[in-house]
Amino acid sequence: MSTLRNRTTILAAATTAVLALALTACGGDDSGTKSAGPASDAAAAAASTDATDATTTGTAKTGGAGQNTGATKTGTSKTGTSKTGTSNGSARTGGDTSDSYAYKHPCKSGDLSVRVYPREGSATQQVIEVNNVGANSCGLSYFPRVSLGAAKASDHSSDIQPTVPGGLGGAPAYPVKPKTAAIAVIDLNPSGANGLTWIDEMNVLADGDHMPNAETQNFELGPDVKVRDPKLGLYRSTVAEAVSSMKQAGTS
């Protein structure tokens, strides 16, 4: 009987131990399930962060691509004025300075600047200087159209006209290049004798062959001028040459 009791006690103890182990196992599974939950949330958060980072990275790359296609590649550095602007245009379409062009294109008043002033060293000679301020060469008549009269006169039919050199011929016009001058010299009183004292104005038309009378310009001579048998030379490039031409006026 004693032996039977011992076996029963041992069997009960074993059963209790088995149940305890079973309960422990179940408790461990429940604890594992709860710990796994937060782990999954962290993984999801990490995945979300990675996705956000990926989106941000994608935006940064897209932005960089935008920068690559900006003004650096397609801006004015390649297609701007340095290649197609006015600097190249002016060089290609600049003024024509040839005499042949001047022969076919008479000067316009708007492209000329006219000056009249006393010749240094002479009491009776005046210099007529016609400057080409335009972009192209142009042609003038062989000499300016000049008349001498009174500034306040209502009738200029009695104005004096100078004699000019004869035997003219040759080129169809006197060519004037841009930024150069055509010069003519008039001697109001070559002999120095007593002359007309009522004349105080010189009227100059730079090109009498092509310009209307309305474009005539008037220049004051001063109160002490005496005019007698005035002579006018042809257009020349220097004052000295213009004086030499003036001395040929009245001769054939």
Side-chain angles (χ1 to χ4, degrees), residues 39-229:
S40 299
D41 292 342
S48 175
T49 301
D50 290 343
T52 302
D53 290 342
T55 303
T56 303
T57 303
T59 303
K61 290 181 179 180
T62 303
Q67 293 176 356
N68 289 338
T69 59
T72 303
K73 289 189 175 181
T74 60
T76 56
S77 61
K78 288 189 176 182
T79 61
T81 56
S82 60
K83 289 187 178 181
T84 61
T86 57
S87 59
N88 290 339
S90 297
R92 295 177 182 175
T93 62
D96 192 319
T97 61
S98 66
D99 288 353
S100 59
Y101 184 90
Y103 295 150
K104 297 178 181 179
H105 296 82
C107 295
K108 298 179 181 179
S109 293
D111 291 332
L112 302 177
S113 173
V114 182
R115 295 178 57 208
V116 172
Y117 53 90
R119 185 173 83 84
E120 185 176 356
S122 173
T124 60
Q125 295 176 10
Q126 297 279 325
V127 178
I128 302 170
E129 182 182 296
V130 180
N131 293 275
N132 181 359
V133 296
N136 302 305
S137 290
C138 61
L140 292 169
S141 52
Y142 289 153
F143 54 87
R145 180 183 295 172
V146 176
S147 64
L148 304 164
K152 295 181 179 180
S154 57
D155 181 7
H156 290 275
S157 61
S158 60
D159 285 1
I160 306 299
Q161 294 184 343
T163 58
V164 296
L168 303 179
Y174 181 83
V176 190
K177 297 182 184 299
K179 297 183 180 180
T180 59
I183 298 173
V185 170
I186 183 172
D187 195 330
L188 303 176
N189 190 349
S191 66
N194 289 330
L196 301 172
T197 59
W198 55 269
I199 294 176
D200 61 1
E201 184 179 67
M202 182 188 303
N203 309 303
V204 179
L205 184 61
D207 188 337
D209 292 343
H210 300 96
M211 294 179 180
N213 291 333
E215 295 180 355
T216 299
Q217 299 186 41
N218 312 112
F219 299 90
E220 183 180 353
L221 292 176
D224 299 326
V225 172
K226 296 180 180 180
V227 177
R228 182 169 181 175
D229 301 324

Side-chain angles (χ1 to χ4, degrees), residues 117 119 127 129 183 185 236-244:
Y117 53 90
R119 185 173 83 84
V127 178
E129 182 182 296
I183 298 173
V185 170
R236 292 291 184 261
S237 59
T238 67
V239 173
E241 292 175 348
V243 170
S244 178

